[in-house]
Amino acid sequence: QMKLQESGPGLVKPSDTLSLMCNVSGDSVNNNNYFWGWVRQPPGRGLEWIANIFYSGTTYYSPSLKSRVAISVDMSKNQFSLKLSSVTAADTAVYYCARIGTGTCRGDCRPLWGQGTLVTVSS
Amino acid sequence: DVQLTQSPSSLSASVGARLRITCRASQSIGNYLHWYQQKPGKAPKLLIYFASTLETGVPSRFSGSGSGTDFTLAVNGLQPEDFGTYYCQQSFSTLGTFGQGTKVEI
């Protein structure tokens, strides 16, 4: 059964770059049934979709974050990653990685999430 | 972008009550609509996927319906453990979006 697990520093300084990894186990990030994405939730607030990537490398970004964010896939490590540059306190949030079935998905197409990792932006 | 509007934004209900939460999409999204329950300090838990399929292990008192632009999450016979915030999420467009959430107090 596929599982997703986020990893990365829990504390990032203002103006630095936030870097997170999502390790995929139980299947391959090269599986064309799925998009891979990142979602965040600031403390006490709702959920915000940040970015998606397809196994081919095609990326989709939130318009509000597009200038600061990059998502990529490392097939050799079966991981995908998120980089968010020039962070401020407003980027403090729990960050989740997620698997989403594409429109042509076959088999297990339900959404799947990691447990999330809290990233605090503070000096 | 597909916008999702949930209603109500919060509610208080009694044990045993029937609960209905609606989610309206700004355009037709077929059945690419999923429902989650989130409790404080925890990751969202998938309840219903593709509008009406019950996730394994989720009690049968939860059900989902709808297609196109209008969707409903229903809970028949509310239990004390059903408190939390409920979110709808669409996966029709290339970037997912969420409803603003419905906070349920028992």
Side-chain angles (χ1 to χ4, degrees):
Chain A
Q1 185 173 355
M2 184 183 290
K3 288 188 177 180
L4 307 179
Q5 179 65 57
E6 305 87 352
S7 62
L11 182 65
V12 180
K13 289 183 168 53
S15 78
D16 282 358
T17 295
L18 178 162
S19 296
L20 295 173
M21 300 294 297
C22 182
N23 186 67
V24 179
S25 60
D27 204 333
S28 170
V29 292
N30 197 29
N31 189 328
N32 64 2
N33 278 320
Y34 306 119
F35 284 100
W36 309 96
W38 289 93
V39 174
R40 71 179 183 178
Q41 185 173 36
R45 301 188 64 181
L47 296 157
E48 177 185 22
W49 210 286
I50 302 170
N52 279 350
I53 188 166
F54 195 46
Y55 81 102
S56 62
T58 304
T59 57
Y60 306 92
Y61 296 114
S62 167
S64 65
L65 297 170
K66 187 173 183 177
S67 63
R68 298 194 291 129
V69 69
I71 187 173
S72 60
V73 167
D74 186 337
M75 293 185 186
S76 66
K77 295 182 179 178
N78 216 39
Q79 295 176 333
F80 60 101
S81 67
L82 176 75
K83 292 187 185 297
L84 182 64
S85 62
S86 304
V87 297
T88 70
D91 295 310
T92 294
V94 177
Y95 286 76
Y96 298 97
C97 61
R99 175 198 85 177
I100 300 296
T102 66
T104 56
C105 178
R106 296 292 179 265
D108 183 4
C109 301
R110 62 198 167 95
L112 186 67
W113 292 44
Q115 285 303 299
T117 185
L118 173 64
V119 178
T120 301
V121 179
S122 175
S123 55
Chain B
D1 290 357
V2 177
Q3 308 299 318
L4 296 179
T5 304
Q6 266 182 256
S7 61
S9 57
S10 66
L11 65 91
S12 181
S14 301
V15 172
R18 186 169 190 260
L19 177 70
R20 286 167 60 90
I21 299 171
T22 63
C23 181
R24 175 163 289 179
S26 58
Q27 66 183 75
S28 178
I29 58 171
N31 69 339
Y32 288 85
L33 191 285
H34 319 290
W35 291 98
Y36 300 84
Q37 176 196 66
Q38 188 177 35
K39 297 192 176 182
K42 300 293 187 183
K45 173 188 175 183
L46 182 66
L47 300 174
I48 302 285
Y49 57 98
F50 295 116
S52 61
T53 303
L54 191 68
E55 168 69 330
T56 302
V58 174
S60 59
R61 63 180 180 272
F62 290 90
S63 64
S65 62
S67 66
T69 60
D70 293 302
F71 302 86
T72 300
L73 173 70
V75 186
N76 286 325
L78 205 61
Q79 296 299 304
E81 61 268 28
D82 297 336
F83 78 93
T85 302
Y86 291 78
Y87 292 96
C88 57
Q89 176 241 320
Q90 63 83 17
S91 59
F92 176 81
S93 60
T94 51
L95 200 66
T97 49
F98 297 91
Q100 75 274 26
T102 297
K103 187 173 184 179
V104 174
E105 296 178 331
I106 310 295

